[in-house]
Amino acid sequence: MSSDTLTKAASAAPEDPEDAAPLRIVPRRRPGLWTTAVVVLALLGLALNSVVRNDAFQWDVVGDYFTSASVLRGLWLTLWLTAVVMMLGFALGTLLAAFRLSTNPVLRAVSWGYVWLFRSMPILVQLLFWFNIGVLYPQILGVKTVNLLGPVTVAVVGLTLHEAAYAAEVVRGGILSVDRGQIEAAQALGLSRWRRWWRIVLPQAMRSIVPPAGNMLIGTLKGTSIVSVIAVQDLLYSVQLVYHRTYQVMPLLMVATLWYVIITSVLSVGQYYVERHYARGSGRGR
């Protein structure tokens, strides 16, 4: 480049940087991204339209049975069963987690063996096993097993034992996520063992416990439908009784599906706020 050209370029440049025009930042064009979004929305619209306008779903029948007495009774039993199984499962799971973290080798072995056994067995096999336990033990404490363990009791026992195995690992993982230095600092301050667990360990462990526990709650709600195989009249079994009588299979299955979707959505919202509560101060509470 010649000296004359450099001189002209220098004279053309503004002397004051403030006189220079501001640079305009143009976002990068992403035509493929928007095209994909339009295609996905179109496909979703077509799918929704096919469901809403498909007469085979018999939406009038869905509306008739959605709040019927038999369906609501089944829904109530499903919710009750979910709540009881979660409370008992986490109570037993917390005890098993304490055993696993104990310095006693026997307790650690018992906890490990329990988790290994019940996580290895399918839940359907466990329910059928407990439902037929009378073959092995006709009487328990002088009472006939068939009278002692009804279908609902069998469902509670089977689901609780299954849930406790997973709850034990969730609780153990949450406790192990707490930094050991904080426990030692609490000991140095002279806090009692109970106060250390209640004020230091548990609030921090809940950050790791709540997300998988929320998923377990939703999974348990949907998993209770398996108790229909032992004639427990939950939500699914209730609609089955109806469509076995009326042969309206699809609309009754849609009734159960809609109720599961509604309850799961409510639980998901609750899980979000509980997670946000325990994530305060950790940078994840937004």
Side-chain angles (χ1 to χ4, degrees):
M1 182 180 293
S2 65
S3 59
D4 294 339
T5 304
L6 293 175
T7 303
K8 292 179 181 179
S11 61
E15 297 179 357
D16 190 353
E18 295 182 357
D19 294 337
L23 295 176
R24 182 185 176 194
I25 301 176
V26 180
R28 181 181 176 184
R29 299 182 183 277
R30 300 176 181 271
L33 183 63
W34 287 106
T35 302
T36 304
V38 171
V39 171
V40 171
L41 288 176
L43 292 176
L44 288 176
L46 291 174
L48 182 61
N49 181 67
S50 69
V51 171
V52 173
R53 304 188 66 177
N54 191 339
D55 295 335
F57 282 102
Q58 296 178 269
W59 292 108
D60 56 333
V61 178
V62 173
D64 291 339
Y65 284 101
F66 190 72
T67 56
S68 63
S70 60
V71 171
L72 292 181
R73 282 196 301 269
L75 176 64
W76 167 250
L77 182 58
T78 294
L79 296 175
W80 177 86
L81 195 58
T82 301
V84 171
V85 167
M86 283 298 295
M87 288 189 294
L88 295 179
F90 263 89
L92 180 56
T94 302
L95 181 63
L96 291 169
F99 284 0
R100 188 74 178 273
L101 297 172
S102 172
T103 56
N104 189 317
V106 176
L107 296 181
R108 289 204 308 269
V110 169
S111 176
W112 181 89
Y114 180 97
V115 173
W116 166 77
L117 177 63
F118 282 92
R119 287 202 307 182
S120 302
M121 297 173 59
I123 181 60
L124 178 58
V125 175
Q126 295 182 45
L127 287 176
L128 293 176
F129 177 85
W130 289 109
F131 190 70
N132 295 281
I133 193 67
V135 176
L136 300 176
Y137 301 97
Q139 291 188 349
I140 299 177
L141 300 177
V143 181
K144 289 185 177 181
T145 308
V146 68
N147 297 328
L148 184 63
L149 297 177
V152 175
T153 305
V154 168
V156 171
V157 171
L159 292 175
T160 297
L161 295 178
H162 176 80
E163 203 76 12
Y166 291 90
E169 293 298 281
V170 169
V171 174
R172 184 175 71 92
I175 293 174
L176 292 176
S177 69
V178 180
D179 185 42
R180 180 67 185 175
Q182 299 202 34
I183 302 176
E184 294 174 352
Q187 290 175 329
L189 291 174
L191 295 180
S192 64
R193 183 180 181 87
W194 171 253
R195 292 193 66 187
R196 288 199 304 268
W197 280 94
W198 185 254
R199 302 297 298 273
I200 305 297
V201 176
L202 186 60
Q204 298 182 74
M206 290 298 288
R207 296 174 184 172
S208 300
I209 292 175
V210 168
N215 293 333
M216 286 180 60
L217 174 60
I218 293 174
T220 301
L221 171 71
K222 296 181 295 183
T224 55
S225 60
I226 202 170
V227 301
S228 60
V229 300
I230 56 174
V232 174
Q233 196 168 344
D234 69 322
L235 176 59
L236 179 59
Y237 192 75
S238 297
V239 300
Q240 286 177 331
L241 290 178
V242 176
Y243 73 60
H244 285 160
R245 186 178 68 252
T246 64
Y247 301 102
Q248 297 168 319
V249 178
M250 291 307 301
L252 269 301
L253 288 179
M254 284 302 301
V255 169
T257 299
L258 290 175
W259 272 120
Y260 281 122
V261 169
I262 291 171
I263 302 302
T264 299
S265 301
V266 172
L267 293 177
S268 298
V269 173
Q271 178 185 352
Y272 168 77
Y273 284 104
V274 173
E275 286 184 18
R276 193 172 72 169
H277 171 76
Y278 283 105
R280 291 180 302 177
S282 65
R284 296 182 296 165
R286 298 178 181 178

